[in-house]
Amino acid sequence: QKAKEEADRRAKEEAIADAERKAKALAEQHSLEEAVARAKDEESRKRAEEALKAKQQESMENEAMRLEKEKQERASLEKKNRGIKTQYENDLLKMVAESEKKANLQKYNKMKDESQSNSIIQTMRRTAELKAATEMIRQEEKQKEERTLANKQVKVIQVKKLVEAAALTERSIRLANTPAKDPKTYVHVLKPNVVVSLTEGLLSDIRSTVITSGNTKIVFKQETYIWGSSYYYRDGYEVDQKTFSTELDKYLKK
């Protein structure tokens, strides 16, 4: 628009200047024509005609030069306008490219934010699932420990009942095999107090037999490991199996 306004202004100025030049040339031509008409002799007329022809030739040359100059100026203006148009188109393409780049950058940032948000949500979900699975495993382990403890307690009770039943049976058999004695010859014999307990461990079970007779207290222990080995103790001192069984039977048979 600026180039167009500049071209219009110059065209108006050149039109005014051209009109002035034409008016001046026309006045000079009229003046020469009047000089030719006023010439009285042949010599004067000839000089006037030559001056008129020279003026006309000059006018034609000036007109040709003016036209050539205008042609060059129009070509220069067109070239300038093409440069302006090309620059404008390049600037427009650059603006469009920058706009597309900005739009693509905004789209990329939006997709990046959405991806990060989805990643955070997935991480939180996996964390929650892992926490739930860990809690479930912990509850199962707790229930397993409770069942194991209950089974151990049941086993201890059953072993205790078996030991008591065996002791009662052994006592009944011993009484049945003992011949009847004359009440007059009966002498009261104090029976030792026998307490049997079983302690279960991770690798071994310990069966303790505590015998109390008056002021005497003897502790027998049998420690049996899961691989089958057994160790025997009397009052904290290790003894062999034969000595252990002999000493223990001596008190149980009373």
Side-chain angles (χ1 to χ4, degrees), residues 156-174:
V156 170
I157 294 173
Q158 290 177 348
V159 170
K160 185 177 179 181
K161 289 181 178 180
L162 289 174
V163 172
E164 292 175 351
L168 181 60
T169 302
E170 185 179 358
R171 182 180 179 185
S172 299
I173 294 172
R174 188 168 61 249

Side-chain angles (χ1 to χ4, degrees), residues 178-193:
T178 301
K181 295 182 179 181
D182 186 358
K184 295 180 179 180
T185 62
Y186 174 75
V187 178
H188 177 70
V189 179
L190 184 63
K191 296 289 184 181
N193 184 28

Side-chain angles (χ1 to χ4, degrees), residues 105-139:
L105 181 60
Q106 291 177 350
K107 184 178 179 180
Y108 169 76
N109 290 333
K110 183 179 179 181
M111 292 175 64
K112 182 179 179 182
D113 293 339
E114 291 178 353
S115 177
Q116 290 178 349
S117 178
N118 293 334
S119 177
I120 292 173
I121 292 174
Q122 292 295 332
T123 302
M124 294 176 63
R125 183 178 298 169
R126 287 194 295 268
T127 302
E129 292 176 353
L130 180 60
K131 184 178 180 181
T134 303
E135 181 65 21
M136 183 176 67
I137 294 174
R138 191 181 67 82
Q139 292 293 335

Side-chain angles (χ1 to χ4, degrees), residues 49-110:
E49 288 178 353
E50 290 177 355
L52 180 59
K53 289 181 180 179
K55 186 62 178 176
Q56 290 177 347
Q57 183 65 28
E58 182 182 358
S59 298
M60 290 176 64
E61 291 177 356
N62 291 336
E63 183 66 19
M65 291 175 63
R66 186 184 64 80
L67 293 174
E68 182 64 24
K69 183 179 180 181
E70 290 180 353
K71 181 179 178 181
Q72 292 178 358
E73 290 178 351
R74 282 196 300 271
S76 177
L77 182 61
E78 289 177 357
K79 183 178 180 181
K80 182 178 179 182
N81 289 339
R82 284 196 300 270
I84 294 174
K85 182 179 180 182
T86 302
Q87 183 64 34
Y88 171 76
E89 290 176 349
N90 291 336
D91 292 342
L92 184 61
L93 290 174
K94 185 177 180 181
M95 290 172 61
V96 172
E98 290 292 336
S99 178
E100 291 180 351
K101 181 179 179 181
K102 185 177 180 180
N104 291 334
L105 181 60
Q106 291 177 350
K107 184 178 179 180
Y108 169 76
N109 290 333
K110 183 179 179 181

Side-chain angles (χ1 to χ4, degrees), residues 23-48:
K24 184 178 179 181
L26 185 60
E28 291 177 352
Q29 185 175 353
H30 288 166
S31 177
L32 291 174
E33 289 175 353
E34 289 177 357
V36 171
R38 290 196 302 271
K40 295 180 180 180
D41 54 9
E42 184 65 22
E43 186 65 24
S44 298
R45 185 180 295 109
K46 186 177 180 180
R47 286 196 301 271

